[in-house]
Amino acid sequence: EERLLKLGFWWRVYSIAALVVASLVQEPFDSSAELLSLTLDPRNEFGLLAGSWSWLKCFIRWDTIYFLTMASPEMELRLGTDDAVIVKEAVAKARGYAYEQMLAFQPGIVALLRGLGYLSLGNTSRLYGPVPLVWDPARSILLATILANLATLAAPLLLYRLTVLHTRSSRLGIVASSLAILAPSSGTTLSSPTPEPYFNFFALLGMLSVAQRPQGRSRARRTFGRLFAALCFAAATAFRANGVALAGFLLWDLVWVKDSDRVRTKPSRASLLRPIAVLFEAAILIPLSVAPFILTQMWAYGRFCRAGLAKRPWCDDPLPGVYTFVQEHYWNVGLFRYWEIGQLPNFVLAAPILLLSGYGMKRYATGKLGSISAQIIALGRPDPGSSAMVEEFRDAASLVPHLVLNLFLTLTLLVASHVQIALRFSSPGGMPFVWWGAACLYDSGPTSWSCKRWLLTYLVLYHAIAIVLYAGFYPPA
């Protein structure tokens, strides 16, 4: 773990430095970051527009424009009286979700940017009274970026522990986590104040908590572990809507995982009552883990469908949800909508990640997975040329829910999404199977040296290219 921490730390330093330098030496294709800085800091009070903190603008790219716009306060001029004298007062009013298309984003990153901007880092009092509470955009960006990089630094360590917990293979954990440090988005969205680093961290923390072995643990501790996992999944969902799929890990643990104390020769009262206990626990934990998404949809329904305004088309749907409507209407997301000749370059960009994902699933499925896996997926013929590390990976029956989630995400990215976001999804916590597959490819017997060379070349080369494109405001986002 110490080696992973050192590698991750220096890769963070290199990524941030490269992004800052790449932003300073080229003129951005899009001026949105400059215009937003002018809006957030029009008088250069905070040094964001042109000053000591202007370099922070390199982190304002693509969706971060939306996040900062929603997080920033809007100064509203109000009239009041003070000893019968009319005075003017500037009052901060949060912009929030001003436009319907902004509801494609979960509120977690917006709330974080808003709160960090108000956080005081120094003396909060003056000679004649307290300093007014002022939202500082530079402070918001700086602190959110620091936290994002700390979360990105911790993620490979969590992936290592998760891997060892499931497979008992330290080598698989080290190889997968080392490669995950070099993830395609490690120099762009995972280095910036975006939802990805936080989703990445909380998803892995929840996966790790729910995967703790039940043997030797009391029922209360296992329940507490699932509760903590549900809270982590809820935090992940607050940052990205696809976090709702993480609830499947709780369902799997409740229904399919067998505890040692459940094996009895005769039925007992506890075993007879267990289905009721499972239903009760599931009725609490599953809604808890998806609550941020549900609450956001409910809030949007109350604002757009019951506020006395003209109703939007999605308000009359059987299950009215703004998220799917926004994705379809504003972002052109839908089944096979991206399958156009003009989008072929994006499929090419995503191809290495999708291939690694498919390769990981193939290597896991073509082997002896254990009785639980055998009941769920069709097994192929074993590969006699596999290394011990790959065999340990195949024998880990507890990875089945990860396989199911990865298959779902891969198919969604391929046929019903902007396929290039596979580059962002393929973080250690977003798609762990990608890095288990990469580790198996890295350790692929007689051809391992060739595979190592091509894999490392791709990860390092794309990392550099992605930073240059991201800094210049060029796609893919």
Side-chain angles (χ1 to χ4, degrees), residues 110-123:
V110 178
L112 183 68
L113 287 167
R114 184 176 298 169
L116 292 176
Y118 284 115
L119 188 64
S120 176
L121 299 181
N123 187 14

Side-chain angles (χ1 to χ4, degrees), residues 370-391:
S371 57
I372 298 177
S373 309
Q375 295 173 6
I376 298 178
I377 59 177
L379 304 182
R381 289 181 296 179
D383 179 7
S386 301
S387 66
M389 185 188 79
V390 176
E391 290 300 329

Side-chain angles (χ1 to χ4, degrees), residues 41 56 81 84 92 105 121 141 190 218-219 224 250 255 284-285 305 312 347 355 361 379 384 415 422 473:
D41 193 11
L56 289 172
T81 59
F105 308 112
L121 299 181
I141 298 168
L190 289 179
S218 67
R219 187 176 298 277
F224 177 79
L250 296 169
V255 177
I284 295 176
L285 297 181
C305 304
R312 301 292 295 144
F347 279 90
L355 289 173
M361 290 188 289
L379 304 182
V415 303
F473 229 119

Side-chain angles (χ1 to χ4, degrees), residues 118-453:
Y118 284 115
L119 188 64
S120 176
L121 299 181
N123 187 14
T124 58
S125 63
R126 289 178 178 168
L127 182 62
Y128 299 104
V131 177
L133 194 62
V134 177
W135 190 79
D136 184 339
R139 181 191 303 149
S140 175
I141 298 168
L142 176 64
L143 294 181
T145 301
I146 292 173
L147 290 177
N149 280 276
L150 288 176
T152 301
L153 180 62
L157 299 179
L158 295 175
L159 178 63
Y160 170 78
R161 294 187 179 184
L162 181 69
T163 305
V164 173
L165 185 64
H166 280 296
T167 66
R168 300 291 192 267
S169 174
S170 179
R171 174 168 172 75
L172 178 61
I174 290 174
V175 175
S177 301
S178 299
L179 293 172
I181 290 174
L182 314 179
S185 60
S186 61
T188 55
T189 54
L190 289 179
S191 297
S192 305
T194 65
E196 276 74 19
Y198 304 100
F199 174 86
N200 185 27
F201 174 78
F202 286 114
L204 278 171
L205 198 59
M207 292 174 189
L208 188 61
S209 179
V210 80
Q212 296 294 327
R213 297 272 78 83
Q215 287 78 8
R217 302 175 68 202
S218 67
R219 187 176 298 277
R221 289 187 63 186
R222 292 197 298 272
T223 301
F224 177 79
R226 284 191 285 261
L227 176 60
F228 182 74
L231 292 173
C232 290
F233 293 156
T237 306
F239 286 95
R240 286 198 63 91
N242 60 296
V244 297
L246 298 173
F249 288 103
L250 296 169
L251 191 62
W252 173 271
D253 191 67
L254 284 168
V255 177
W256 279 284
V257 174
K258 294 182 179 180
D259 296 347
S260 58
D261 61 351
R262 293 182 203 168
V263 182
R264 303 177 185 271
T265 55
K266 295 181 181 180
S268 66
R269 179 178 298 180
S271 64
L272 294 176
L273 293 177
R274 189 183 182 283
I276 299 176
V278 168
L279 288 174
F280 178 76
E281 195 171 341
I284 295 176
L285 297 181
I286 303 300
L288 176 62
S289 67
V290 301
F293 179 78
I294 301 299
L295 292 175
T296 302
Q297 302 306 296
M298 292 174 63
W299 176 86
Y301 183 84
R303 180 169 181 175
F304 286 92
C305 304
R306 292 183 178 176
L309 303 174
K311 284 189 175 183
R312 301 292 295 144
W314 57 271
C315 293
D316 296 323
D317 291 344
L319 288 175
V322 68
Y323 181 78
T324 52
F325 173 80
V326 166
Q327 291 286 351
E328 180 180 351
H329 184 71
Y330 293 101
W331 309 108
N332 194 36
V333 172
L335 190 63
F336 297 113
R337 287 193 175 191
Y338 226 53
W339 284 39
E340 301 174 351
I341 296 296
Q343 301 299 340
L344 186 60
N346 286 321
F347 279 90
V348 173
L349 285 171
I353 296 301
L354 296 177
L355 289 173
L356 282 175
S357 175
Y359 182 79
M361 290 188 289
K362 175 183 179 297
R363 293 307 295 264
Y364 183 67
T366 55
K368 187 176 181 180
L369 303 181
S371 57
I372 298 177
S373 309
Q375 295 173 6
I376 298 178
I377 59 177
L379 304 182
R381 289 181 296 179
D383 179 7
S386 301
S387 66
M389 185 188 79
V390 176
E391 290 300 329
E392 290 171 324
F393 173 56
R394 288 173 172 174
D395 290 339
S398 57
L399 287 178
V400 171
H402 288 274
L403 174 70
V404 174
L405 175 62
N406 191 76
L407 179 61
F408 169 75
L409 291 176
T410 303
L411 291 177
T412 301
L413 289 168
L414 188 60
V415 303
S417 184
H418 292 185
V419 69
Q420 71 271 20
I421 67 173
L423 298 165
R424 282 189 282 153
F425 271 36
S426 58
S427 60
M431 297 178 72
F433 238 94
V434 167
W435 304 109
W436 292 326
C440 291
L441 184 64
Y442 192 85
D443 195 54
S444 56
T447 60
S448 62
W449 171 243
S450 176
C451 292
K452 288 177 184 178
R453 183 179 58 189

